[in-house]
Amino acid sequence: MLDEATIAAIADDLAQAEQTRSKIGLLTAKYPDMTVEDSYAVQNEWRRRGEAAGRRLYGHKIGLTSKPMQQATGITEPDYGAIFADQVYDTGSVIDHSQYSGVRIEVELAFVLRDELRGPDVSLFDVLRATEYVVPALEVLSSRIEMEGRTIVDTISDNAALGAMVLGGRPVAVDAVDLRRVNALLYRNETIEDSGVAAAVLDHPARGIVWLANKLAEHGDVLQAGETVLAGSFTRPMWVHPGDTVHADYGELGVITCRFE
């Protein structure tokens, strides 16, 4: 395990990279013995600093839950990160591209929790009972660590590459639609770039929430009532650039649109 001073130094480097819209080198190259637990300690230090500065925890994101995402990154296990309220946009927003680095978009479903979920041993049915509604969402990815050669340790330390979240579409109860069969078409500048179905996320998007609740229990944490949780992408990450308009069509669940400047 890395000592507290080293964890704080890594958090400092990541904060500087975020401020300057730059990237630091691979942590696994600088600290070859760094473990997954070390990387979550770095992430927790980032979250602690944010909350100490007055940022409000809005929810969590889960990453690398589908084959398309694992193939795109070369990483074969899920991870998670924290979402602050100031990272959340509504559909129709104009987003400043320059505040992020390595900007990509993913298509997801967000679960809004009515009840707390406390692991271990949380089941799929526990998640469905605890969910108030599900709503379409886009995740904006931003990387503070070099992307080539990243491992799960680098990604977790980088708060699972979260930049922002865009919410939109039509909220639905978990029993109003077959969540496994929710599908989406992803457009950039009126050209379709990708499509996917939510079952690509661990065979059911709620299984991502199951994994997260039980993983958080290992770190002495819980999913709180009122949190919004991004369940994981069912498309490959799509690069976006200044001037791009992104449009995601979720069929009966509505659409999300945003533009980057």
Side-chain angles (χ1 to χ4, degrees), residues 62 117-122 127 208-218 221-223:
I62 310 165
L117 283 170
R118 182 182 295 271
D121 303 321
V122 169
V127 170
I209 318 300
V210 173
W211 176 86
L212 176 59
N214 291 324
K215 189 69 174 179
L216 284 173
E218 298 177 13
D221 203 354
V222 301
L223 287 173

Short mmCIF file of all heavy atoms in Angstrom, two decimals, residues 62 117-122 127 208-218 221-223:
data_model
loop_
_atom_site.label_atom_id
_atom_site.label_comp_id
_atom_site.label_asym_id
_atom_site.label_seq_id
_atom_site.Cartn_x
_atom_site.Cartn_y
_atom_site.Cartn_z
N ILE A 62 -20.52 4.05 -12.76
CA ILE A 62 -19.89 2.75 -12.91
C ILE A 62 -19.32 2.70 -14.32
O ILE A 62 -19.98 3.11 -15.29
CB ILE A 62 -20.91 1.61 -12.72
CG1 ILE A 62 -21.70 1.83 -11.43
CG2 ILE A 62 -20.20 0.26 -12.69
CD1 ILE A 62 -22.94 0.98 -11.36
N LEU A 117 -28.96 1.69 -0.48
CA LEU A 117 -28.51 0.34 -0.81
C LEU A 117 -27.19 0.11 -0.09
O LEU A 117 -26.19 0.78 -0.36
CB LEU A 117 -28.32 0.18 -2.32
CG LEU A 117 -29.58 0.00 -3.15
CD1 LEU A 117 -29.27 0.11 -4.64
CD2 LEU A 117 -30.24 -1.35 -2.85
N ARG A 118 -27.20 -0.85 0.81
CA ARG A 118 -26.03 -1.12 1.65
C ARG A 118 -25.60 -2.57 1.45
O ARG A 118 -26.35 -3.51 1.75
CB ARG A 118 -26.38 -0.87 3.12
CG ARG A 118 -25.21 -1.07 4.09
CD ARG A 118 -25.66 -0.84 5.52
NE ARG A 118 -26.05 0.54 5.74
CZ ARG A 118 -25.22 1.50 6.12
NH1 ARG A 118 -23.94 1.22 6.33
NH2 ARG A 118 -25.65 2.74 6.30
N GLY A 119 -24.40 -2.76 0.91
CA GLY A 119 -23.88 -4.11 0.75
C GLY A 119 -23.27 -4.61 2.04
O GLY A 119 -23.24 -3.89 3.05
N PRO A 120 -22.81 -5.85 2.09
CA PRO A 120 -22.73 -6.78 0.95
C PRO A 120 -24.05 -7.48 0.70
O PRO A 120 -25.04 -7.22 1.39
CB PRO A 120 -21.65 -7.77 1.40
CG PRO A 120 -21.80 -7.80 2.90
CD PRO A 120 -22.18 -6.41 3.31
N ASP A 121 -24.06 -8.34 -0.27
CA ASP A 121 -25.20 -9.21 -0.57
C ASP A 121 -26.41 -8.47 -1.13
O ASP A 121 -27.54 -8.94 -1.02
CB ASP A 121 -25.63 -10.02 0.67
CG ASP A 121 -24.49 -10.86 1.23
OD1 ASP A 121 -23.73 -11.42 0.42
OD2 ASP A 121 -24.36 -10.95 2.47
N VAL A 122 -26.21 -7.29 -1.74
CA VAL A 122 -27.29 -6.63 -2.47
C VAL A 122 -27.58 -7.44 -3.73
O VAL A 122 -26.66 -7.87 -4.43
CB VAL A 122 -26.89 -5.18 -2.82
CG1 VAL A 122 -27.87 -4.57 -3.81
CG2 VAL A 122 -26.80 -4.34 -1.56
N VAL A 127 -32.02 -3.82 -5.84
CA VAL A 127 -31.81 -2.60 -6.63
C VAL A 127 -33.12 -2.13 -7.25
O VAL A 127 -33.45 -0.95 -7.20
CB VAL A 127 -30.74 -2.83 -7.71
CG1 VAL A 127 -30.69 -1.65 -8.68
CG2 VAL A 127 -29.39 -3.06 -7.07
N GLY A 208 -25.23 -3.50 -12.81
CA GLY A 208 -24.15 -2.58 -12.50
C GLY A 208 -24.32 -1.96 -11.12
O GLY A 208 -23.34 -1.79 -10.37
N ILE A 209 -25.54 -1.63 -10.76
CA ILE A 209 -25.82 -1.05 -9.45
C ILE A 209 -25.58 -2.09 -8.35
O ILE A 209 -25.09 -1.78 -7.27
CB ILE A 209 -27.27 -0.51 -9.37
CG1 ILE A 209 -27.64 0.23 -10.66
CG2 ILE A 209 -27.42 0.39 -8.15
CD1 ILE A 209 -26.79 1.41 -10.99
N VAL A 210 -25.94 -3.34 -8.65
CA VAL A 210 -25.66 -4.44 -7.71
C VAL A 210 -24.16 -4.51 -7.43
O VAL A 210 -23.72 -4.55 -6.26
CB VAL A 210 -26.15 -5.79 -8.28
CG1 VAL A 210 -25.71 -6.95 -7.39
CG2 VAL A 210 -27.67 -5.79 -8.43
N TRP A 211 -23.38 -4.52 -8.51
CA TRP A 211 -21.92 -4.60 -8.35
C TRP A 211 -21.41 -3.43 -7.52
O TRP A 211 -20.58 -3.62 -6.60
CB TRP A 211 -21.24 -4.59 -9.73
CG TRP A 211 -19.75 -4.57 -9.62
CD1 TRP A 211 -18.91 -5.63 -9.48
CD2 TRP A 211 -18.91 -3.40 -9.59
NE1 TRP A 211 -17.60 -5.21 -9.38
CE2 TRP A 211 -17.58 -3.85 -9.44
CE3 TRP A 211 -19.17 -2.03 -9.68
CZ2 TRP A 211 -16.51 -2.97 -9.38
CZ3 TRP A 211 -18.09 -1.15 -9.62
CH2 TRP A 211 -16.79 -1.62 -9.47
N LEU A 212 -21.90 -2.22 -7.80
CA LEU A 212 -21.40 -1.04 -7.11
C LEU A 212 -21.74 -1.08 -5.61
O LEU A 212 -20.87 -0.80 -4.77
CB LEU A 212 -21.99 0.22 -7.74
CG LEU A 212 -21.62 1.54 -7.06
CD1 LEU A 212 -20.11 1.74 -7.05
CD2 LEU A 212 -22.31 2.71 -7.76
N ALA A 213 -22.98 -1.40 -5.28
CA ALA A 213 -23.38 -1.42 -3.87
C ALA A 213 -22.51 -2.40 -3.08
O ALA A 213 -22.08 -2.11 -1.95
CB ALA A 213 -24.85 -1.79 -3.74
N ASN A 214 -22.24 -3.55 -3.66
CA ASN A 214 -21.43 -4.55 -2.97
C ASN A 214 -19.95 -4.15 -2.94
O ASN A 214 -19.25 -4.43 -1.96
CB ASN A 214 -21.62 -5.92 -3.62
CG ASN A 214 -23.01 -6.47 -3.38
OD1 ASN A 214 -23.60 -6.26 -2.32
ND2 ASN A 214 -23.57 -7.16 -4.36
N LYS A 215 -19.47 -3.49 -3.98
CA LYS A 215 -18.08 -3.03 -4.00
C LYS A 215 -17.87 -1.92 -2.98
O LYS A 215 -16.84 -1.88 -2.28
CB LYS A 215 -17.71 -2.55 -5.41
CG LYS A 215 -16.23 -2.24 -5.60
CD LYS A 215 -15.41 -3.51 -5.55
CE LYS A 215 -13.95 -3.25 -5.87
NZ LYS A 215 -13.15 -4.50 -5.81
N LEU A 216 -18.82 -1.00 -2.89
CA LEU A 216 -18.71 0.09 -1.92
C LEU A 216 -18.65 -0.45 -0.50
O LEU A 216 -17.96 0.12 0.36
CB LEU A 216 -19.89 1.05 -2.06
CG LEU A 216 -19.86 2.02 -3.25
CD1 LEU A 216 -21.17 2.78 -3.35
CD2 LEU A 216 -18.69 2.99 -3.14
N ALA A 217 -19.35 -1.55 -0.24
CA ALA A 217 -19.34 -2.13 1.09
C ALA A 217 -17.92 -2.55 1.50
O ALA A 217 -17.56 -2.47 2.68
CB ALA A 217 -20.28 -3.33 1.15
N GLU A 218 -17.12 -2.96 0.52
CA GLU A 218 -15.73 -3.33 0.81
C GLU A 218 -14.92 -2.12 1.28
O GLU A 218 -13.89 -2.28 1.95
CB GLU A 218 -15.08 -3.93 -0.43
CG GLU A 218 -15.72 -5.22 -0.93
CD GLU A 218 -15.08 -5.74 -2.20
OE1 GLU A 218 -13.98 -5.24 -2.55
OE2 GLU A 218 -15.66 -6.62 -2.85
N ASP A 221 -18.57 2.05 2.47
CA ASP A 221 -19.43 3.09 1.92
C ASP A 221 -20.75 2.48 1.46
O ASP A 221 -20.88 1.26 1.34
CB ASP A 221 -18.72 3.77 0.74
CG ASP A 221 -19.24 5.17 0.46
OD1 ASP A 221 -20.22 5.59 1.10
OD2 ASP A 221 -18.67 5.84 -0.43
N VAL A 222 -21.74 3.33 1.24
CA VAL A 222 -23.07 2.87 0.81
C VAL A 222 -23.58 3.79 -0.30
O VAL A 222 -23.08 4.90 -0.49
CB VAL A 222 -24.09 2.89 1.98
CG1 VAL A 222 -23.63 2.01 3.12
CG2 VAL A 222 -24.35 4.32 2.46
N LEU A 223 -24.58 3.30 -1.03
CA LEU A 223 -25.34 4.15 -1.95
C LEU A 223 -26.49 4.76 -1.17
O LEU A 223 -27.33 4.05 -0.63
CB LEU A 223 -25.86 3.33 -3.13
CG LEU A 223 -24.83 2.90 -4.15
CD1 LEU A 223 -25.45 1.95 -5.17
CD2 LEU A 223 -24.21 4.10 -4.84
#
